[in-house]
Amino acid sequence: MTILEASVSRFSLTVDARDTITLMVDNADNPWGRRLHDALDFALCAESACVVTPYERVGMEDFRPDAPTRHDVADRFVADVLDKLQAEGYTTARTVFHETSSETYLSDGRTVTAVQVHRPFALVGVEYQFSREAHSRAVRYGHAYADRWEITGRSYIVPAGWYLVGEIGDYTSELVGVAGMDGDPDGVVFELEGFDASECAAGCQACGARWLAYADSWHFEPDDCDTAPWDFDDADGIDETTNTVACPACRIGRVGFMIF
Ligand SMILES: [Zn+2]
């Protein structure tokens, strides 16, 4: 079983949400998630990004601001980029789950989205500029097309297939990682050991007492041993360096935590 490191402080007992997404990526079926990750980053950063089929030759004329032949898929959030890729017929996406940090031991909210890429694609980045003349036309008429543009880059090819896209954040979202999957990843993350972050085991190395708690209560019940239950909120001797608390049973040892 994979155990992620627990972080302990006065009012928190958490695992880093980012670590759980990394765990998902480390357990991917194939390495192609890196390609979709790069393409999504490309679309998040580019001023304008157009989707093309692999090896398709595109020229400046394809990106004329006054007669665009392609739609821009660049946006500020992954969900919006995926919506635009879906509108272009390249992908479909569904939210596997969205959790806030208050529901679990997670340090932050997290979102996992299953994405199916129906046919391979790449992205081409374009930047538009206004010349002085175009700028004065815009001032005079209230609207003008940019008259200068350049192709700024091209992403690697994203292969067709299934992907799991992992983001963190309660109120915003940050792309952390993408896992390439060999088939529809329905339910896969829930079987991933250590990913759930909903149970916490506590143990004292001095007296051997062990307890178990669940994210919704933080109330530790004895785990197959003869000792009293306790609440994390009442814990004494919290040490944020070693991520331990004083043992409520023997009062001598230190209690460490494992979240899974
Ligand atoms: Zn103890």
Side-chain angles (χ1 to χ4, degrees):
M1 178 184 284
T2 306
I3 304 293
L4 298 173
E5 195 180 340
S7 176
V8 172
S9 68
R10 178 71 265 182
F11 297 110
S12 79
L13 175 58
T14 57
V15 283
D16 191 336
R18 184 182 298 274
D19 288 349
T20 68
I21 299 295
T22 304
L23 179 73
M24 179 185 88
V25 174
D26 289 346
N27 285 276
D29 292 336
N30 64 60
W32 302 119
R34 189 69 235 172
R35 295 286 192 90
L36 181 58
H37 189 160
D38 285 344
L40 290 172
D41 269 342
F42 189 96
L44 293 171
C45 298
E47 179 191 317
S48 176
C50 301
V51 58
V52 297
T53 54
Y55 313 114
E56 184 179 356
R57 295 179 72 91
V58 286
M60 297 298 279
E61 282 302 303
D62 290 301
F63 303 108
R64 289 191 66 86
D66 52 346
T69 58
R70 295 159 189 285
H71 297 115
D72 183 10
V73 297
D75 215 311
R76 285 179 57 210
F77 295 105
V78 168
D80 299 319
V81 174
L82 289 173
D83 278 349
K84 290 179 175 180
L85 285 169
Q86 183 156 345
E88 297 292 305
Y90 283 89
T91 62
T92 44
R94 68 165 192 273
T95 303
V96 176
F97 69 85
H98 172 73
E99 274 173 332
T100 64
S101 55
S102 59
E103 294 170 48
T104 58
Y105 288 108
L106 296 168
S107 60
D108 212 336
R110 61 181 179 179
T111 305
V112 171
T113 308
V115 176
Q116 186 177 17
V117 173
H118 300 291
R119 51 199 172 108
F121 68 89
L123 299 179
V124 174
V126 186
E127 255 176 49
Y128 294 96
Q129 277 144 21
F130 285 76
S131 66
R132 188 194 297 253
E133 292 73 28
H135 183 73
S136 46
R137 275 200 299 282
V139 172
R140 210 170 330 134
Y141 304 119
H143 174 79
Y145 290 107
D147 54 353
R148 292 176 187 170
W149 62 99
E150 59 174 341
I151 293 172
T152 52
R154 191 172 177 128
S155 77
Y156 290 111
I157 294 164
V158 181
W162 285 95
Y163 298 87
L164 286 171
V165 176
E167 296 166 87
I168 61 167
D170 272 328
Y171 303 106
T172 59
S173 73
E174 180 196 340
L175 176 61
V176 173
V178 180
M181 306 305 292
D182 288 344
D184 187 338
D186 192 32
V188 165
V189 285
F190 303 109
E191 289 160 21
L192 196 57
E193 284 181 341
F195 185 84
D196 218 27
S198 61
E199 278 181 63
C200 184
C204 172
Q205 78 276 43
C207 67
R210 290 180 298 144
W211 299 268
L212 270 178
Y214 298 91
D216 55 353
S217 75
W218 291 17
H219 173 73
F220 283 90
E221 283 287 339
D223 176 22
D224 200 21
C225 64
D226 183 23
T227 183
W230 58 285
D231 287 283
F232 182 79
D233 290 336
D234 302 330
D236 291 324
I238 289 169
D239 184 338
E240 297 183 19
T241 311
T242 59
N243 292 305
T244 58
V245 303
C247 178
C250 69
R251 306 256 157 209
I252 300 161
R254 306 290 307 170
V255 171
F257 301 90
M258 293 190 303
I259 291 172
F260 50 91

